[in-house]
Amino acid sequence: MRNWLLSEQPASRRQARFGQVYRTWLAFRGNRLGMLGLGIVLALVLVALFAGVIAPYDPLTGGDLRTERLLPPSWEHLMGTDDLARDIFSRIVYGSRVTLLVVALVAAIATPVGLLVGTTAGYFGGWVDTVLMRVTDIFLAFPRLILALAFVAALGPGIENAIIAIAITSWPPYARLARAETLTIRNAEHIDAIRLQGASPVRIIWGHVMPLCLSSVIIRVTLDMAGIILTAAGLGFLGLGAQPPQPEWGAMIAAGRRFLIDYWWVATMPGIAIFVVSLGFNFLGDGLRDVLDPKAQQQ
């Protein structure tokens, strides 16, 4: 199988594609930080999928407020309990589902929008480019968290509205990157050949320009995952994201800040979770950039 994948003369297009994927994996496997980031992300996915098995307690209901409130970390409660006698470890485990949901939906919404806007502006140029890029500049003129706060304030608090707000504020960098990539390839010889064959602009953009821009955008999206997580946590901290009693890491930090001096674990444990997951996505993005970005490889 290895020889088939690494063949210098593939017999079919499918073999060539699998061979390219395998070579990319071999290159990525040599990046230790990238593998560490991949491990953290995979751990997040597994924890989210098997939260019901991993969590020892119900994340929404607590124990006896007289005897189990604000208990320090122990073998019975690995990360202690909060002010409502709820197990913090169980809430962090279930909170991974909220974090993964936000990351996945924001990426699924913002990435296609950014790709479409950027490739369309770069391919057509002229007034189309001017209009689309000025709209993009308007979004880029505001800090992401401030703009997300404005949208959530208009839409109303809640995890669904927070996802929409973060997605609306996340697409402009991808559009800029896709436009820059499109400007470098729109006059390439193979694009001219496709155009001379009678292909429509929509077909050229969708079938030939977007795939060439995809690797750079994927790298940027992966690097932005940490920012998305921090924005979602910031909205939750301010009470505009997931609403109580839903276990969301930012909201957990907000609830524990009152006890930060005497009962440090209430706010520190979800903060550590945010830090580790954000670091994992950064490591993964750096590893993908080293493997997928040909300019970085040349340097």
Side-chain angles (χ1 to χ4, degrees):
M1 177 61 73
R2 180 183 174 88
N3 293 332
W4 183 79
L5 290 172
L6 297 179
S7 174
E8 295 294 337
Q9 297 179 344
S12 63
R13 183 176 297 180
R14 184 171 66 93
Q15 181 181 358
R17 289 176 179 174
F18 279 113
Q20 181 62 36
V21 172
Y22 185 66
R23 289 186 180 91
T24 302
W25 164 249
L26 292 178
F28 180 80
R29 194 173 62 179
N31 189 310
R32 294 183 179 180
L33 291 180
M35 289 298 294
L36 176 60
L38 179 62
I40 293 174
V41 173
L42 290 179
L44 173 68
V45 174
L46 292 176
V47 168
L49 290 176
F50 299 102
V53 178
I54 298 173
Y57 297 95
D58 191 320
L60 303 181
T61 59
D64 191 342
L65 291 176
R66 295 172 298 178
T67 59
E68 299 183 12
R69 180 175 178 268
L70 296 173
L71 294 179
S74 63
W75 287 112
E76 186 176 359
H77 299 282
L78 295 178
M79 296 183 178
T81 60
D82 61 10
D83 57 320
L84 296 178
R86 296 173 297 192
D87 183 65
I88 295 177
F89 175 73
S90 299
R91 288 180 61 78
I92 289 178
V93 168
Y94 275 92
S96 64
R97 290 182 171 180
V98 179
T99 300
L100 193 62
L101 176 67
V102 171
V103 168
L105 290 182
V106 169
I109 296 171
T111 304
V113 173
L115 264 175
L116 180 61
V117 172
T119 53
T120 302
Y123 182 81
F124 287 104
W127 66 269
V128 175
D129 183 28
T130 301
V131 171
L132 292 178
M133 287 301 100
R134 295 300 77 76
V135 173
T136 303
D137 290 339
I138 292 173
F139 281 87
L140 290 173
F142 298 92
R144 179 181 296 182
L145 181 58
I146 301 300
L147 195 58
L149 283 172
F151 281 114
V152 173
L155 297 173
I159 188 63
E160 297 85 1
N161 292 337
I163 291 174
I164 295 173
I166 298 173
I168 291 174
T169 60
S170 297
W171 66 266
Y174 312 147
R176 278 289 183 184
L177 181 60
R179 174 182 177 271
E181 294 283 340
T182 304
L183 289 175
T184 61
I185 63 177
R186 68 178 181 179
N187 294 322
E189 293 182 357
H190 68 282
I191 298 296
D192 289 336
I194 296 168
R195 192 181 296 115
L196 290 174
Q197 291 177 357
S200 65
V202 174
R203 181 177 178 182
I204 294 174
I205 293 174
W206 182 261
H208 300 278
V209 176
M210 279 191 180
L212 294 175
C213 301
L214 193 58
S215 61
S216 299
V217 174
I218 288 176
I219 295 169
R220 180 59 188 265
V221 171
T222 308
L223 289 171
D224 279 354
M225 293 299 185
I228 293 171
I229 293 172
L230 293 175
T231 303
L235 293 177
F237 182 85
L238 297 173
L240 297 175
Q243 298 300 296
Q246 193 172 8
E248 196 274 328
W249 295 345
M252 292 172 64
I253 295 176
R257 60 181 173 176
R258 297 175 296 164
F259 315 103
L260 191 59
I261 303 300
D262 297 322
Y263 308 100
W264 55 269
W265 56 88
V266 180
T268 302
M269 296 304 178
I272 292 175
I274 294 174
F275 169 77
V276 171
V277 172
S278 299
L279 194 66
F281 276 111
N282 278 330
F283 285 160
L284 178 60
D286 287 337
L288 289 176
R289 180 178 57 191
D290 294 341
V291 173
L292 298 178
D293 189 356
K295 296 179 182 178
Q297 292 177 2
Q298 292 175 2
Q299 295 174 356

